[in-house]
Amino acid sequence: MLPLPLLFTALLLAGCASGPQGVACRGDLSTLDGKALGQSTAKVFDLVNAFSVSNDDVTVESGPLHSNDRLRWIPSAVTKEGYYAQRLSSHQFRLINPYQDNQVTWQCP
């Protein structure tokens, strides 16, 4: 039997070694002025200061989210693909594609 401190250390390291767990989320697709276009599902990986969205072998990473004042402005970033990524809350994430006049807002459980 393992000594208690060694067992505790092993459990702690195992918990720290696991990567972020993605959550299946429902997304509402709309135009930039709010006209509904449909729904989608994707797996959202919430990293607190960033997030990524995976769907059908495509992954978009937000990059570091930034806000000068989180009480007044939404933490956001521009992805390398040119999308505008927003963290609306701990359960809502949005990607805006200005080139195609659409946006997807994911609601996660």
Side-chain angles (χ1 to χ4, degrees):
M1 185 163 155
L2 290 174
L4 191 56
L6 185 59
L7 180 62
F8 178 72
T9 303
L11 288 174
L12 183 63
L13 288 175
C16 293
S18 63
Q21 300 297 314
V23 177
C25 304
R26 181 183 58 83
D28 295 317
L29 180 64
S30 66
T31 62
L32 296 181
D33 63 0
K35 180 182 175 189
L37 298 175
Q39 293 186 339
S40 71
T41 58
K43 191 172 255 195
V44 176
F45 295 86
D46 183 9
L47 305 173
V48 181
N49 290 324
F51 67 92
S52 65
V53 178
S54 295
N55 188 357
D56 297 332
D57 300 326
V58 176
T59 299
V60 177
E61 296 179 3
S62 70
L65 299 170
H66 178 73
S67 175
N68 287 335
D69 182 352
R70 289 184 182 248
L71 297 176
R72 296 175 65 188
W73 296 295
I74 297 171
S76 57
V78 176
T79 69
K80 63 182 175 184
E81 296 86 0
Y83 305 142
Y84 190 60
Q86 297 177 317
R87 179 190 176 92
L88 303 174
S89 73
S90 60
H91 300 288
Q92 275 190 317
F93 304 88
R94 178 179 290 151
L95 284 179
I96 299 171
N97 184 346
Y99 311 109
Q100 294 183 356
D101 184 36
N102 63 37
Q103 62 185 348
V104 181
T105 304
W106 286 279
Q107 187 79 14
C108 302

